[in-house]
Amino acid sequence: FESIAILIRSVCTKNVAHATSCENIFGPRLKEVLENDYEGQFIPYVYQLLALILEFSPEGGRMSDTCTAAFPQLLKLNRWEFSRNIPSLTRLLIAYLRKGIIQTLNHQSKSLDDIVVVFHVLIQNENYKQYTFDLLRAIVLYVPPEVRCFKEVLNVVKFEAMSSHPTRLSNEILSHFFTLFVAKFGTKAFY
């Protein structure tokens, strides 16, 4: 998997148009691993490779049907149960958000609600705070504020800010979040 990642990075760094070729070549095989790896030992690597391909895909281009179809699978809670999956799943989810999956789904998908559920899973575990912030930052940067999941995540963050058991890390995450949020939307967005 590391060799494939190096290959993808090398090829796509020179020309991002090759990301589509990488997706066509590796996509079916990665899908097969996801479907048949019952012990889950290769799943985190597959998510990392998918994220890498998606990160290199051309900006503003149409998301492939394969990528769009795979998005709801990413949000299934059983995928987020294993700590070994969290870093690569978070990276993949952020890559999807960056590439405009919300716009592709026309703001109407159950997947948007599932993003909120994933966010709840991450924010409840102290070990996942950094991934929570990474996802939160991506939501602020890439999800239009009129989308319902954006507002629900904001409410969760406000609740976390008022929590009676804040930690140093959660305070840092919240201060980063509010700084980013105010920089992007201004203070009137809180009202």
Side-chain angles (χ1 to χ4, degrees):
F1 286 100
E2 288 83 3
S3 299
I4 295 170
I6 290 169
L7 176 69
I8 292 169
R9 186 174 300 280
S10 299
V11 169
C12 294
T13 299
K14 293 182 182 184
N15 186 348
V16 294
H18 293 304
T20 304
S21 300
C22 289
E23 183 183 339
N24 293 336
I25 293 168
F26 297 115
R29 285 147 191 89
L30 295 175
K31 182 180 175 193
E32 185 178 322
V33 172
L34 282 175
E35 292 171 354
N36 297 317
D37 183 20
Y38 298 108
E39 293 180 24
Q41 62 185 357
F42 299 120
I43 300 244
Y45 301 109
V46 171
Y47 291 144
Q48 288 176 18
L49 292 174
L50 290 172
L52 187 61
I53 291 169
L54 198 55
E55 289 166 354
F56 275 112
S57 65
E59 292 291 329
R62 183 182 173 280
M63 193 173 297
S64 74
D65 292 339
T66 304
C67 284
T68 304
F71 183 69
Q73 299 300 315
L74 163 73
L75 297 173
K76 290 188 175 183
L77 281 183
N78 63 341
R79 306 229 187 245
W80 294 84
E81 290 175 352
F82 302 103
S83 60
R84 67 179 176 256
N85 291 347
I86 300 298
S88 54
L89 279 170
T90 304
R91 181 179 175 186
L92 182 56
L93 182 53
I94 290 168
Y96 269 109
L97 293 173
R98 184 180 298 134
K99 293 301 176 179
I101 189 68
I102 301 301
Q103 292 78 357
T104 302
L105 296 174
N106 296 322
H107 312 281
Q108 301 299 319
S109 174
K110 180 187 178 309
S111 297
L112 300 177
D113 295 331
D114 292 341
I115 291 173
V116 176
V117 173
V118 166
F119 184 78
H120 276 282
V121 167
L122 291 177
I123 203 167
Q124 291 175 5
N125 189 322
E126 190 65 34
N127 296 327
Y128 303 152
K129 291 290 185 182
Q130 185 58 49
Y131 303 111
T132 305
F133 175 67
D134 292 342
L135 179 58
L136 186 59
R137 180 177 40 219
I139 290 170
V140 170
L141 291 174
Y142 307 116
V143 175
E146 65 272 7
V147 175
R148 189 180 77 222
C149 77
F150 184 92
K151 293 174 182 153
E152 289 178 24
V153 168
L154 182 58
N155 287 334
V156 171
V157 172
K158 287 178 186 177
F159 178 75
E160 178 72 12
M162 295 181 283
S163 171
S164 60
H165 305 299
T167 64
R168 186 177 139 291
L169 182 57
S170 55
N171 286 338
E172 288 176 20
I173 288 170
L174 288 168
S175 65
H176 284 282
F177 165 74
F178 288 121
T179 302
L180 177 64
F181 188 86
V182 169
K184 182 163 182 180
F185 300 110
T187 56
K188 292 183 180 181
F190 283 106
Y191 304 115

